[in-house]
Amino acid sequence: MNAFLNLYRKTLAWPLSFWVKDNPIPSHPIEELTLNIEQPIVYVLPYTSQTDLVVLRKNCLSLGLPDPFQDNRIEGKVLPRYVFLDEGHQFFKSKGAKKETEKIFKNYLELHRTLPDLDVQVVPVSVLWGRSPGREDKGLPKLRLLNGLQKTIAAIWFGRDTFVRFSQAMSMRYMVNEYGEDAKLAQKLPRIAKMHFAKQRISATGPRLPNRQAMFNKLLQHPAVLQAIEDEARTKNMSKEKARKEAKKILDEIAADTNYGSLRIADRFLGWLWNKLYQGIEVEHADRVRRLALEGHEIVYVPCHRSHIDYLLLSYVLYHQGLVPPHIAAGINLNFWPVGRIFRSWGAFFIRRTFKGNRLYSTLFREYLGELFHRGYSVEYFIEGGRSRTGRLLTPKTGMMSMTLQALQQGQTRPISIVPVYVGYEHVLEVDTYAKELRGAEKEKENAGLVLRVIKKLRNLGRGFVNFGEPITLNTYLNQHFPEWKNEDQEERPLWFNKAVDSISHQVMVNINKAAAVNAMNLTGTALLSSRQRALSREQLLEQLESYQQYLLNVSYSDDILVPTAPPKELLDHVLGLDRVGILIEKDNFGELVRLERNHAVLMTYYRNNIQHLLVLPSLVASIVLHHESIQKDLVIAAVEKLYPFLKAELFMHLPLEALPEKVERIIAELHRQQLIKLNENVLSINRPRVRALQLWSAGMREILQRYLITVAILLQNPTVSRSMLEKESQSIAQRLSVLHGINSPEFFDKAVFSTFIASLKDNGYFDTAGEADVAKLQGMADILEHVISAEINLTIKSAVETAMDLDDIESE
């Protein structure tokens, strides 16, 4: 029988090697699941299937995992390396699979009681043949128990969509230590594994897809929608039937129409697209999301928004991480022929730019979103509202977050977890359009022609990055920060609600920045833009890249950031190999110069801004030391503490103020280790041989400090100036400064950054209750700023402020 079984497996292995692609989840299970291959492993499969076993073996061998066909030999005892939980509809059945598995587990447990150093790892593994969840009106897909012929057809049809899902190992040593002599322990292990497989199936396929019209009919009967329809009919003097038809039309405009077949086509297309565009997509911390899915959480993905392909990239990544692609809130501007219909079949639902004055629309959208949560679909939305043109995170728009909390209030039974996602690129797909827009051109409306033009220009765009940040479980967050949330009358909007929405939205942005991905492009751009001439010798550039790398590795911003470990030369060569980055190599008698073309400088600030928050504190320390030449360490820490609240608010930084002194100490120690500064007892001073590197570090704060001084100088001249006028004058002076001093950063005179700074001044007590500026406190900040800004810039700001005040006086007269 064993000889015939081995022959059967070999016969299966040959065609499966062609039909079935290796798709392990996770892609590196030894590292990601922290498996110890020095200890025995037992693979647990949900039901008897030689085909599944052959596919498992193929993946194990490619991953460096133990061969499931080989037995475990422990102290002279030979035990199988795999077990089946249940029988399947197979030719070779494991008769009495359940009892056989219990017997095998019992033998392993006995060995643990006599061998204290033994720790067998029980690894649940399922082979997913296709990922269709089925539809509500057609029942569940019959993917669980396939007979031999069905499995052959599945192998041909779903070969590229077959995933081998490795789950977190169960430690037999832990089980023995925890339950001791429990005689039923061997029976408990299969039950635990069986429950796990049921959860795993749901996490991989999701709930059944809805009957769209049946969902519409249900939503149209909701009391809030009925009331909105009645109000619509009354205010617009129309019949209720006509208002109901309008409501149904709105739902048809909003709702997704997900189709599994379309998702499979999308997977093929996107796989081709990424291979054309990028040299690889790096994915980190997906285990966080898989864990939430297995625990039954309602998952809301909230990525930063860099490019239109963010929608596609995240769905593609999630699918290949063994998770369900989410329903995606897409702007109505993307609902154009033929893309809109395609996106809708991939799970997109469309949202208008504003709901203002349209109660029927806002009610329908809110109830539709609540219905998605109620049915257990994961959801994705972009909290920034639109794509960032500056490379920084934008101020969050809280509408969708508000609706998410409303769904929680309305009795959502499953826990809701917000998953912040950092999405980054070494080169954004819309590189050409962004460059034009950053130079002042009008935004081009999305249309099919634009899409075709972009795809036609397929080129080498480097690497893409998807990093899943620290999740925020809403129930837990509200219990910690707003404990009164459970006690309020849910029929009215409680007092805590808006504060909670703002707080969670802000925390999402903080967690996105905590998961930033540093890459060769944004490091190189940061270094070149730090030079006023946008040029460095190759040696100086490589030295600066290494300095950035060493800092990021030794004084980590957070545990979640990604830092490249390749040598600086490889990083630079990689950037130079990308298409259209605008970096030139020039030679003179002294060697090679690396120069950034002027017309690419604005776009390069986009990539620099992706990671600016990671480098802003060492940049500030470097700037203070550079401009003072010699200064007490305590004074440096005090100056950083004075400015940090504004940096924290502007750049969504996570470090609490009380942890700042220790962080600054570590920064000083690292700059000293790199010999950029001298540290003599408690005095910091410039290390002259490395002053150029210190200047480049200092430049990272240059424009931020200049902006702060503009606003502070205006307030010192006119402490009672209105907020709107303060924003306007600050922006005007910044525009003048950018022209006079060649500042290319698009955010330098962005009204939004001035608005954030002014709000932070208010939050930190720089205005009294009547709205008048506290001159004494502002003068203390001005003294710091004036010392770290060049005399030339100081003079320009002072002159511009005086001129602006004189003009205001003339206008008031």
Side-chain angles (χ1 to χ4, degrees):
M1 180 64 176
N2 285 338
F4 193 65
L5 182 59
N6 289 335
L7 179 62
Y8 179 65
R9 288 171 177 169
K10 288 179 181 179
T11 304
L12 282 174
W14 184 78
L16 289 175
S17 67
F18 296 102
W19 291 337
V20 179
K21 180 183 175 184
D22 284 355
N23 276 322
I25 300 170
S27 55
H28 301 94
I30 295 175
E31 295 82 6
E32 294 184 53
L33 301 178
T34 59
L35 298 176
N36 181 2
I37 58 175
E38 299 299 320
Q39 289 281 2
I41 286 177
V42 178
Y43 303 104
V44 182
L45 289 92
Y47 56 92
T48 307
S49 170
Q50 297 301 322
T51 307
D52 286 3
L53 193 58
V54 169
V55 172
L56 168 62
R57 180 176 190 261
K58 181 172 180 283
N59 279 262
C60 286
L61 295 181
S62 68
L63 295 166
L65 284 165
D67 185 346
F69 287 0
Q70 300 295 320
D71 294 324
N72 282 321
R73 299 178 182 274
I74 307 169
E75 293 293 311
K77 201 159 189 174
V78 179
L79 293 171
R81 196 172 271 159
Y82 70 88
V83 295
F84 299 119
L85 290 185
D86 284 324
E87 295 179 26
H89 296 166
Q90 308 297 317
F91 182 76
F92 287 102
K93 292 187 179 181
S94 177
K95 293 191 181 289
K98 183 177 178 182
K99 289 192 176 296
E100 181 66 22
T101 296
E102 288 179 5
K103 180 181 176 183
I104 292 169
F105 278 153
K106 187 176 180 180
N107 289 332
Y108 274 115
L109 290 168
E110 287 297 329
L111 286 169
H112 279 77
R113 292 186 178 103
T114 58
L115 300 172
D117 294 331
L118 180 64
D119 185 10
V120 173
Q121 300 155 99
V122 180
V123 180
V125 187
S126 54
V127 180
L128 304 172
W129 297 87
R131 304 270 292 282
S132 174
R135 302 192 74 90
E136 289 178 340
D137 51 356
K138 295 182 181 179
L140 287 168
K142 296 181 180 179
L143 288 177
R144 185 175 181 274
L145 297 178
L146 303 179
N147 61 36
L149 178 61
Q150 290 171 327
K151 192 60 70 74
T152 301
I153 295 171
I156 296 171
W157 185 248
F158 293 114
R160 288 180 58 85
D161 294 311
T162 300
F163 295 83
V164 178
R165 178 76 158 83
F166 295 90
S167 295
Q168 192 67 51
M170 293 184 288
S171 165
M172 278 199 175
R173 169 56 52 199
Y174 171 81
M175 299 292 284
V176 169
N177 292 345
E178 186 74 12
Y179 298 102
E181 299 298 323
D182 189 343
K184 295 184 178 180
L185 187 54
Q187 297 172 2
K188 287 181 180 179
L189 282 171
R191 285 203 298 269
I192 293 170
K194 191 174 290 188
M195 288 188 290
H196 174 83
F197 284 125
K199 292 178 181 178
Q200 192 182 80
R201 167 60 67 181
I202 290 296
S203 73
T205 64
R208 287 179 289 170
L209 298 175
N211 179 309
R212 204 161 177 263
Q213 292 306 315
M215 180 191 279
F216 289 179
N217 291 335
K218 179 183 176 183
L219 287 170
L220 291 171
Q221 294 303 314
H222 193 281
V225 174
L226 289 172
Q227 185 62 53
I229 290 173
E230 189 174 318
D231 292 344
E232 181 82 357
R234 185 177 62 255
T235 56
K236 295 191 176 178
N237 197 23
M238 64 172 69
S239 68
K240 285 186 181 179
E241 184 56 33
K242 188 174 181 181
R244 180 183 168 85
K245 286 182 179 178
E246 178 62 22
K248 197 167 184 178
K249 183 179 177 183
I250 290 171
L251 281 174
D252 193 55
E253 174 195 301
I254 293 171
D257 190 15
T258 309
N259 180 284
Y260 178 69
S262 183
L263 286 172
R264 289 190 64 205
I265 294 171
D267 179 54
R268 303 290 190 278
F269 167 71
L270 294 176
W272 167 82
L273 185 66
W274 305 143
N275 286 331
K276 281 284 186 181
L277 291 175
Y278 296 103
Q279 297 173 12
I281 305 295
E282 292 191 22
V283 181
E284 292 292 335
H285 298 120
D287 56 303
R288 288 171 163 167
V289 190
R290 287 195 293 268
R291 186 162 54 248
L292 290 173
L294 286 173
E295 292 170 356
H297 286 235
E298 175 64 41
I299 300 176
V300 180
Y301 300 97
V302 185
C304 59
H305 204 2
R306 310 289 197 210
S307 166
H308 275 319
I309 64 169
D310 297 342
Y311 302 92
L312 308 177
L313 179 60
L314 185 53
S315 291
Y316 178 84
V317 164
L318 289 170
Y319 185 78
H320 283 268
Q321 291 296 322
L323 295 159
V324 187
H327 280 60
I328 307 163
I332 195 69
N333 57 310
L334 292 179
N335 190 19
F336 60 87
W337 186 90
V339 171
R341 186 171 180 179
I342 295 171
F343 281 0
R344 203 183 292 276
S345 72
W346 294 351
F349 59 97
F350 293 98
I351 180 172
R352 295 179 186 175
R353 288 298 183 192
T354 178
F355 300 176
K356 192 174 181 180
N358 194 335
R359 186 187 169 196
L360 180 61
Y361 182 89
S362 61
T363 302
L364 287 166
F365 190 90
R366 183 181 66 246
E367 295 304 325
Y368 173 74
L369 186 64
E371 185 67 13
L372 293 181
F373 289 140
H374 175 71
R375 290 168 181 254
Y377 302 117
S378 57
V379 172
E380 172 190 342
Y381 52 75
F382 295 91
I383 200 168
E384 295 170 278
R387 291 169 293 158
S388 170
R389 264 56 172 199
T390 66
R392 287 178 165 203
L393 295 183
L394 305 178
T395 302
K397 308 291 191 297
T398 57
M400 293 293 289
M401 186 62 72
S402 177
M403 293 183 192
T404 304
L405 259 68
Q406 285 175 335
L408 183 67
Q409 280 185 287
Q410 291 168 2
Q412 170 69 21
T413 55
R414 302 171 70 209
I416 299 178
S417 285
I418 310 294
V419 178
V421 187
Y422 180 93
V423 182
Y425 308 92
E426 288 186 320
H427 231 358
V428 287
L429 184 64
E430 300 94 329
V431 57
D432 293 329
T433 57
Y434 277 7
K436 292 174 185 175
E437 290 172 23
L438 289 170
R439 295 188 198 105
E442 289 290 322
K443 177 181 178 292
E444 186 174 354
K445 186 178 179 181
E446 285 80 6
N447 55 68
L450 177 61
V451 173
L452 291 174
R453 287 202 306 275
V454 170
I455 292 178
K456 189 178 179 180
K457 294 180 180 179
L458 295 179
R459 52 187 176 268
N460 173 20
L461 300 181
R463 302 185 69 81
F465 303 86
V466 177
N467 193 5
F468 294 93
E470 182 182 351
I472 303 167
T473 300
L474 291 185
N475 303 60
T476 304
Y477 188 91
L478 292 173
N479 288 338
Q480 290 175 348
H481 300 279
F482 301 92
E484 67 274 23
W485 78 281
K486 288 185 176 180
N487 305 324
E488 295 284 349
D489 180 4
Q490 302 302 323
E491 294 302 315
E492 299 177 7
R493 179 163 292 197
L495 295 175
W496 59 267
F497 189 86
N498 287 339
K499 290 181 180 179
V501 169
D502 291 341
S503 177
I504 294 167
S505 300
H506 181 83
Q507 190 61 47
V508 166
M509 309 309 281
V510 169
N511 287 8
I512 288 173
N513 264 349
K514 281 174 66 178
V518 183
N519 59 60
M521 176 68 93
N522 47 42
L523 285 178
T524 303
T526 298
L528 289 174
L529 289 170
S530 296
S531 168
R532 291 187 184 275
Q533 296 75 29
R534 301 179 300 280
L536 292 169
S537 70
R538 177 184 279 270
E539 292 76 16
Q540 181 68 65
L541 177 55
L542 293 176
E543 183 181 301
Q544 195 64 21
L545 291 178
E546 183 176 14
S547 182
Y548 292 149
Q549 272 185 296
Q550 289 297 309
Y551 169 79
L552 291 168
L553 292 169
N554 294 335
V555 190
S556 179
Y557 182 84
S558 77
D559 292 337
D560 291 344
I561 68 164
L562 307 179
V563 181
T565 55
K569 183 179 183 303
E570 285 186 24
L571 297 179
L572 180 57
D573 289 344
H574 173 72
V575 170
L576 294 175
L578 302 180
D579 290 339
R580 303 179 66 158
V581 294
I583 297 178
L584 303 177
I585 301 293
E586 298 176 350
K587 292 184 178 180
D588 61 12
N589 292 335
F590 302 97
E592 287 187 343
L593 295 173
V594 185
R595 181 171 66 85
L596 179 63
E597 287 185 284
R598 183 176 180 79
N599 62 344
H600 280 76
V602 174
L603 185 62
M604 193 59 80
T605 63
Y606 180 95
Y607 301 114
R608 178 200 65 186
N609 289 349
N610 288 174
I611 61 165
Q612 189 174 32
H613 63 287
L614 304 179
L615 302 174
V616 71
L617 284 180
S619 178
L620 178 55
V621 171
S623 188
I624 294 170
V625 175
L626 181 70
H627 287 87
H628 284 80
E629 297 195 6
S630 180
I631 184 172
Q632 291 283 335
K633 182 169 68 174
D634 291 346
L635 293 178
V636 173
I637 294 173
V640 174
E641 287 180 317
K642 193 89 166 177
L643 296 175
Y644 179 69
F646 309 104
L647 298 172
K648 188 175 189 289
E650 180 178 334
L651 298 173
F652 298 103
M653 299 174 73
H654 72 97
L655 191 73
L657 188 60
E658 56 270 21
L660 190 61
E662 181 187 352
K663 183 77 170 184
V664 176
E665 291 272 10
R666 292 181 62 200
I667 291 168
I668 290 170
E670 176 61 20
L671 296 180
H672 176 246
R673 189 193 69 79
Q674 293 190 25
Q675 300 181 5
L676 302 180
I677 60 175
K678 293 180 180 179
L679 177 58
N680 185 12
E681 294 183 352
N682 281 324
V683 177
L684 307 180
S685 57
I686 296 172
N687 183 24
R688 292 293 173 186
R690 298 293 308 280
V691 70
R692 181 56 177 150
L694 192 66
Q695 288 173 336
L696 294 175
W697 267 105
S698 170
M701 274 296 292
R702 186 166 54 209
E703 291 147 11
I704 294 176
L705 296 175
Q706 290 167 5
R707 276 194 286 102
Y708 289 177
L709 183 57
I710 289 170
T711 301
V712 169
I714 294 171
L715 285 170
L716 287 173
Q717 284 283 331
N718 184 2
T720 60
V721 65
S722 69
R723 178 164 178 171
S724 60
M725 183 57 69
L726 179 58
E727 288 178 3
K728 181 181 176 182
E729 294 292 355
S730 296
Q731 186 181 28
S732 297
I733 292 172
Q735 286 175 322
R736 181 177 180 83
L737 202 67
S738 69
V739 173
L740 292 174
H741 295 278
I743 299 170
N744 289 301
S745 301
E747 77 279 1
F748 183 70
F749 47 83
D750 184 355
K751 186 178 178 181
V753 295
F754 285 108
S755 178
T756 299
F757 178 56
I758 293 164
S760 297
L761 286 170
K762 183 179 178 181
D763 292 341
N764 286 278
Y766 284 79
F767 293 94
D768 62 22
T769 54
E772 184 172 343
D774 185 328
V775 173
K777 285 189 72 173
L778 285 168
Q779 188 59 58
M781 186 189 294
D783 291 342
I784 295 172
L785 294 171
E786 287 169 357
H787 274 89
V788 293
I789 292 173
S790 69
E792 184 184 11
I793 297 288
N794 265 305
L795 187 61
T796 302
I797 292 173
K798 182 179 179 181
S799 174
V801 169
E802 289 174 351
T803 302
M805 295 301 103
D806 290 343
L807 290 174
D808 288 344
D809 290 341
I810 293 171
E811 288 179 4
S812 64
E813 291 174 3

